[in-house]
Amino acid sequence: MSGYAWRTTVSRALSVFKSQTTVTRNYGSVIKTITLIPGDGIGPEISSAVMKIFDAAKVPVHWEERNVTAIKGPGGKWMIPPEAKESMDKSKIGLKGPLKTPIAAGHPSMNLLLRKTFDLYANVRPCVSIEGYKTAYSDVDLVTIRENTEGEYSGIEHVIVDGVVQSIKLITEDASRRIAEFAFEYARSNQRSTVTAVHKANIMRMSDGLFLKQCREVAENYKDIKFTEMYLDTVCLNMVQEPTQFDVLVMPNLYGDILSDLCAGLIGGLGVTPSGNIGANGVAIFESVHGTAPDIAGKDLANPTALLLSAVMMLRHMGLHEQSRKIQTACYDTIQDKKVVTKDLGGNAKCSEFTDEICRRVRDL
Amino acid sequence: MSPSSSMLMMSKLLRPVFLQSRSANLAQPGKNPVKEYECSNNTNKMFRMEQPLNVTQSGNIETNHTMPPSHKSRNNLLRTSLDLYSNVIHCRSMPGLQTRHKDIDIIIIRENTEGEYSSLEHESVPGVVESLKIITKSNSLRIAEYAFKLAREQGRKKVTAVHKANIMKLGDGLFLQCCKEVAAGYPDITFENMIVDNTTMQLVSRPNQFDVMVMPNLYGNVVSNVCAGLVGGPGLVPGANYGRDYAVFETATRNTGKSIAGKNIANPTAMLLASCMMLDHLRLMSSVKNNVGRGVNIALVNGVTGELIEARFFDMWEGDVNELLKFIRPLHEGTLVFVASYDDPATKMNEEARKIFTDLGSTAIKDLAFRDSWVFAGAKGIDDKSPFEQHIKNNKNNNKYEGWPEALEMEGCIPQRSLEEQ
């Protein structure tokens, strides 16, 4: 991602929805504040691993740690702590570790709250095969862009009569248009050639049809990018046989959920997959999508790769290409070397040892 | 891809199954569209199917998704009007085929009539569309029951329910709860559940952990396509749609293959295997097993619903009559008994066995030799006879090979032929 150019063009595109003056800043010279949300379970240890590696790479950032445990605001509505919101609104960039999903806490999941608070409408997951971490699939290089606010996850369900339940899938013109715009902008700024809309309009004619219509209309303004449409089942079928044929995929919520995890599985699982969430006001939160792994928390066994690669994605977003390249290369080389890697990557090193090894390589590069 | 290549193959077999090509145009008013899809069976002297077994083989019908919503998917209409509630796909690694994963053997059972495929959509406000996903307790119980029964019959160890109940708490929550309820009645089978996104991730990394999977409609679509891709692609895997009265066999991934149509490069394997599945299915109610002079085949049919209770073969050559007695002693009132054999079993029948058959009303017990299809032997119970039993007991001449098909179709017995043919 050429972060600088990307940010300005996206802001320009988004100004259609929210009027906003774009302030272009050269992030290379200024110390940038980043809101860090360590999270639960293994979150704190992998966050400190990332901070250590950033330190070694001399990345000009200042970390502002915040907690996002939900509190009840005035009016009884659940919300994230105001300090966290304030920090994020100011910095616009966040890095988040895994958050515990509460079962009987009475409040919705924190991920959902974050999404609603900052209107994080796009979930971007670049899936690139990691050399040195062999899976059954090689040369995967695709990006899944998932609409993250509506669709099947609207949460609207009713019991019509006893034994009959209805769940509502909501598709709106605005949200579909917004995600389509984002997908094409992303493709353009990242030199990707094709955008594929994934849908099931043969069955859900009106809802997915509306989504498709918006994608088609937006595609008209991006003649330099090839636009194709494919059924969800065909994408799944082809993805497990020949994933190299896909480039950028854009889709509604549920299909995005399934496909992004499918693609993560192709490259090695959630432990090595980066993820970014883009919000309406220029807010971007990068996160690791794996769980909190409570069984290994605090034992220095965790693998920080997912959070690290998400942080690298964040650096690219900010325009700090040199540092992002250095850290990514160091990380990939360490994994390829296989000498000092954590258990899930095939070795038996501790988290701190793995981190130190990457730091060493970063300093040498 | 038309079924013509498999029709060609099947005509070379000795089994005389006659396939009639039918187009899936929607019905004219006054005509029942369902009957267009029947497969009629050829009658000939050696092998005679005694009833129209409502089975068909079909290729996929393309749904043009640029048409307005009133133009419904005809595949979907076929499935819902015939109530083909269970879509079964067996994905197996094929020997000799190079794939990334080896030794896959997964049976996928997908609910085929409701869920996201209800086609209920409306635009509540301009620019806002709502699509309804319906989950019902009865359909969920039905498909779960089917899955566990199939797992038991095939000797499978584990059933995994695939869902997204953490997000769709009521809808998929209901489905999961139904699966759990049914699982309680099958303690010999391990029951697990997995969220659909994790399932797809596991399928591409470790597919060997899965055995039987059961899920609602849309997830079934995704998972079956992923599994078909894992074992070699859409040209290889057959699929079956089962309902209470009908069965339709097709390719598992239901592709029309527009881009390769007419070029003579399509792979007919999936369709061929689908026709093999159809032949296996037909054998359940029609021909007799071990038809080489060894013993007796007995079928018990519910006299009111016409449903097959059980059909079994008794080896009178190597076995003894006690097994037979154990089977026919405890008959319920109203059970119809049909017998077929291909040799004289009479030498091994003892007094008690003969008496049981005679009491049923069968005068043909001596003539049971050399029969290769089902003959009505009689019915249990004297009072409260079904119309069929009365008919048979009053017309001794009909208790024979020739008169059988019509007699079986009387009201209250096995499903009737279409109205116009009566």
Side-chain angles (χ1 to χ4, degrees), chain A residues 91-334:
Chain A
S91 64
K92 301 285 187 201
I93 311 261
L95 185 66
K96 177 177 91 64
L99 291 174
K100 209 164 45 183
T101 310
I103 299 195
H107 61 77
S109 81
M110 259 83 79
N111 288 314
L112 187 65
L113 268 181
L114 276 173
R115 208 174 299 143
K116 286 231 148 72
T117 313
F118 299 107
D119 196 14
L120 301 173
Y121 66 92
N123 178 243
V124 183
R125 245 189 241 188
C127 293
V128 182
S129 282
I130 300 178
E131 287 172 43
Y133 190 41
K134 282 257 163 290
T135 58
Y137 301 87
S138 42
D139 300 320
V140 179
D141 185 5
L142 53 90
V143 181
T144 57
I145 298 178
R146 159 193 176 187
E147 204 292 325
N148 219 1
T149 58
E150 54 174 27
E152 297 82 351
Y153 294 7
S154 55
I156 311 169
E157 293 186 290
H158 316 104
V159 178
I160 308 181
V161 289
D162 192 26
V164 179
V165 174
Q166 151 188 314
S167 304
I168 297 189
K169 163 179 164 164
L170 206 64
I171 299 278
T172 59
E173 199 176 302
D174 291 338
S176 306
R177 189 174 200 89
R178 187 164 64 166
I179 195 72
E181 292 263 5
F182 176 80
F184 279 95
E185 270 305 325
Y186 182 92
R188 191 176 262 174
S189 346
N190 288 273
Q191 290 88 43
R192 313 290 308 210
S193 52
T194 318
V195 170
T196 307
V198 181
H199 65 98
K200 260 219 95 60
N202 51 347
I203 300 293
M204 288 177 259
R205 200 68 55 75
M206 282 176 92
S207 38
D208 283 354
L210 178 61
F211 178 80
L212 261 188
K213 182 157 156 273
Q214 296 308 310
C215 289
R216 284 190 197 129
E217 282 176 16
V218 171
E220 293 298 313
N221 301 333
Y222 291 83
K223 290 287 192 205
D224 51 326
I225 313 249
K226 184 157 172 262
F227 174 67
T228 52
E229 306 167 2
M230 218 188 245
Y231 289 135
L232 172 67
D233 40 6
T234 314
V235 172
C236 288
L237 189 60
N238 293 338
M239 185 72 78
V240 297
Q241 292 180 80
E242 201 46 66
T244 53
Q245 63 185 284
F246 295 104
D247 196 355
V248 177
L249 298 161
V250 62
M251 55 212 125
N253 217 333
L254 177 68
Y255 313 151
D257 193 8
I258 298 175
L259 269 182
S260 57
D261 277 6
L262 179 71
C263 298
L266 297 177
I267 62 168
L270 296 179
V272 293
T273 309
S275 171
N277 297 291
I278 311 302
N281 285 315
V283 170
I285 301 184
F286 299 86
E287 59 175 355
S288 60
V289 283
H290 53 72
T292 51
D295 46 332
I296 57 168
K299 296 188 185 155
D300 200 19
L301 293 170
N303 176 3
T305 306
L307 193 63
L308 186 62
L309 290 177
S310 305
V312 164
M313 204 174 149
M314 178 180 74
L315 287 175
R316 280 202 291 266
H317 169 93
M318 290 158 52
L320 296 169
H321 298 289
E322 186 53 38
Q323 281 95 337
S324 81
R325 190 194 58 81
K326 257 204 281 188
I327 297 176
Q328 187 173 294
T329 313
C331 181
Y332 281 178
D333 285 347
T334 313

Side-chain angles (χ1 to χ4, degrees), chain B residues 132-145:
Chain B
L132 301 181
K133 163 180 164 165
I134 310 285
I135 301 276
T136 58
K137 189 168 181 186
S138 52
N139 285 349
S140 302
L141 283 172
R142 187 166 66 164
I143 196 70
E145 195 60 61

Side-chain angles (χ1 to χ4, degrees), chain B residues 223-239:
Chain B
V223 170
S224 58
N225 274 273
V226 170
C227 291
L230 291 176
V231 299
L236 294 173
V237 189

